[in-house]
Amino acid sequence: MAAFSATKCPSYSYSSSINGGQKQRFAFSSSSSLRFSAPAKAKVFLQSPRDSHQAAVLMQDGVVVSEVIHKEIETPKENSKDDLLSFTSTKELDVKAGFDGNENESTVSITVVGASGDLAKKKIFPALFALYYEDCLPKHFTIYGYARSKMTDAELRNMVSKTLTCRIDKRENCSEKMDQFLKRCFYHSGQYDSEENFSQLDKKLKKQELSASSGNGWTRVIVEKPFGRDSESSAVLTKALKQYLAEDQIFRIDHYLGKELVENLSVLRFANLIFEPLWSRRYIRNVQLIFSEDFGTEGRGGYFDNYGIIRDIMQNHLLQILALFAMETPVSLDAEDIRNEKVKVLRSMRPLRLEDVVVGQYKSHSRGGVTYPSYTDDKTVPKDSLTPTFAAAALFIDNARWDGVPFLMKAGKALHNRGAEIRVQFRHVPGNLYNRNFGTDLDRATNELVIRVQPDEAIFLKINNKVPGLGMRLDLSNLNLHYAARYSKEIPDAYERLLLDAIEGERRLFIRSDELDAAWALFTPVLAELEEKKIIPESYPYGSRGPVGAHYLAARYNVRWGDLDIEQ
């Protein structure tokens, strides 16, 4: 029996869930308004199912959703012809690619829904190629793109080839690996609300799976955010998915959870004795989660305007990081044990209040002879839009460990820099003998742990240190772990890690339905209030540090934003 394990993929250490001689299907989707109809067999994006038929996932371009079915469903009668499109069987592909056809080995079918969109082109296909290049995919795999655009297999391969890179320096010839990878990529055009189109895709997938020797396997669906836009729509989406799928088949992806420094959070805390005793209200004064982009929407605001920065970044990316940061020690590294602790954190948090939120929207600004546009200059955005492109919020966890500690979030577009980081500011040293050496600004004497998620990944600890010399002069210095300097290996893209996890059946970094419900419960009331009261966002210049209101919000809790330091 074949096994897909660390021996196959040197960079991965989890045991495999891919059994020999089985047909696996894996579905990943990048579409937004998800609708469901009567059961149909649909293969969606990354999927490795048993040979069972899947419920159709019906979507429109925009967000990302995918779906697979949990149990065998009667196939609806189809009017399509078997010869609608030409195909190459998996067995034929193996011969062309130099693989020997072993019927005891597994086959994995991957379907990318929304294959012509930006997410698929820029992230999904490159991530799959990187996994293939590093021998992290099983021998027998097929990738199908599915979208409404009319396209041939050759046109899909040409489109995908433009996004693939040879960033991994290994002994194999990269162009040859690309050719082998592209030969396994196929395309099927169809509507997201057509059972017939998905049934036709189902037929093609079955033909490609001819070399497998078993009629069972697993089916998994990766669902890309946003998962609805409030508690109600999220519940509708979850209910629709669970009509056809079990919870353990649904992989809600938040790519920030796949970032190296985010995954390192639990290692930093639970594998280092020096940090765990300090990880509480007794020593930590505040925690800051900061996300910034130095560009605006520039023609891509049509999607963003329906969601805004709070839904797009804070309710998912930053809140997920907060839950990982603040959770109690899990019983084990098992996915359910970790996700149980994250849910406890979210359920312990106070619902966000309007007075603890500041929203902003960037305006036009000229700098260095260049004029940068305002948000509403984007032709895809309504001129009277009140959608925030910046938000800052203060959140609190009402449990014994974190009572009274403000967790401040800040996220925005068109700011002065690009980055994502966690800043942990510790309390002042009681009766500090050296206060006079810092003058009256005690913030300068505060120890701070900074975890820079992106770019230029690093972990550094700010400490007070004596400047060499005859006098007593203190300086704030960094103990610095700079990843690029310490590790020669390139950090994989987050989607590479998460797609591999989904294929492996590893759920630690994916979001469970009750976790999603708890997250929306925190933000839905304030989002509704912002929209009902038509709160006007504070303007801030393109390329600035954001609206002034964010500083007042932090000052209310005796906090100074750590990213305002000149030193970075």
Side-chain angles (χ1 to χ4, degrees), residues 532-550:
E532 289 168 6
K533 294 183 177 179
K534 298 188 183 300
I535 302 296
I536 299 174
E538 179 183 345
S539 294
Y540 63 96
Y542 192 118
S544 69
R545 295 177 181 269
V548 174

Side-chain angles (χ1 to χ4, degrees), residues 383-394:
K383 291 298 181 185
D384 59 349
S385 174
L386 298 180
T387 299
T389 61
F390 175 97

Side-chain angles (χ1 to χ4, degrees), residues 64-197:
V64 178
V65 174
S66 21
E67 162 176 0
V68 211
I69 98 174
H70 176 241
K71 55 186 177 183
E72 293 188 295
I73 297 178
E74 292 260 329
T75 309
K77 291 184 179 179
E78 306 160 15
N79 298 323
S80 58
K81 305 281 186 179
D82 288 345
D83 59 351
L84 273 178
L85 288 178
S86 61
F87 68 95
T88 306
S89 72
T90 306
K91 188 172 183 180
E92 291 171 325
L93 281 173
D94 290 340
V95 172
K96 290 181 180 180
F99 296 139
D100 35 340
N102 185 339
E103 291 187 352
N104 291 323
E105 294 180 341
S106 297
T107 178
V108 173
S109 299
I110 299 171
T111 305
V112 181
V113 175
S116 60
D118 278 352
L119 179 66
K121 289 187 286 189
K122 295 177 180 177
K123 291 293 184 180
I124 305 307
F125 284 110
L128 289 171
F129 173 66
L131 292 176
Y132 171 68
Y133 192 85
E134 292 202 82
D135 295 328
C136 292
L137 291 180
K139 235 188 228 184
H140 309 287
F141 73 91
T142 302
I143 300 174
Y144 252 96
Y146 184 98
R148 294 180 297 193
S149 305
K150 299 297 182 183
M151 199 185 310
T152 64
D153 293 345
E155 288 171 332
L156 172 75
R157 292 165 184 166
N158 182 56
M159 179 192 79
V160 170
S161 68
K162 296 176 181 177
T163 68
L164 304 184
T165 60
C166 298
R167 65 172 180 79
I168 307 166
D169 183 19
K170 287 181 64 175
R171 58 187 178 276
E172 292 95 349
N173 182 284
C174 185
S175 61
E176 289 180 7
K177 298 287 280 190
M178 279 189 184
D179 290 341
Q180 293 168 4
F181 176 79
L182 292 170
K183 286 176 183 177
R184 294 174 175 271
C185 296
F186 301 88
Y187 185 76
H188 183 76
S189 175
Q191 298 296 315
Y192 298 135
D193 58 354
S194 170
E195 293 182 17
E196 181 182 356
N197 291 161

Side-chain angles (χ1 to χ4, degrees), residues 254-263 492-495 497-498 509:
D254 183 333
H255 71 275
Y256 260 68
L257 294 182
K259 291 187 177 293
E260 188 69 40
L261 271 293
V262 174
E263 190 167 12
D493 182 79
Y495 276 97
R497 173 176 286 109
L498 293 172
L509 302 178

Side-chain angles (χ1 to χ4, degrees), residues 10-27:
S11 61
Y12 205 68
S13 61
Y14 293 101
S15 61
S16 167
S17 66
I18 296 184
N19 298 319
Q22 292 188 344
K23 300 176 188 176
Q24 333 278 353
R25 284 187 190 165
F26 194 20

Side-chain angles (χ1 to χ4, degrees), residues 7 36 47 113 131 152 157 180 184 188 216 243 248 255 298 362 375 423 433 447 460 516 529 553:
T7 58
F36 286 82
Q47 159 184 342
V113 175
L131 292 176
T152 64
R157 292 165 184 166
Q180 293 168 4
R184 294 174 175 271
H188 183 76
N216 55 21
Q243 282 184 280
D248 63 4
H255 71 275
E298 281 98 356
Y362 66 86
Y375 174 64
R423 287 181 171 263
L433 293 173
N447 298 129
F460 54 93
L516 181 61
E529 198 170 356
L553 174 66

Side-chain angles (χ1 to χ4, degrees), residues 28 155 211 326 515 559:
F28 189 105
E155 288 171 332
S211 64
E515 187 180 347
V559 174

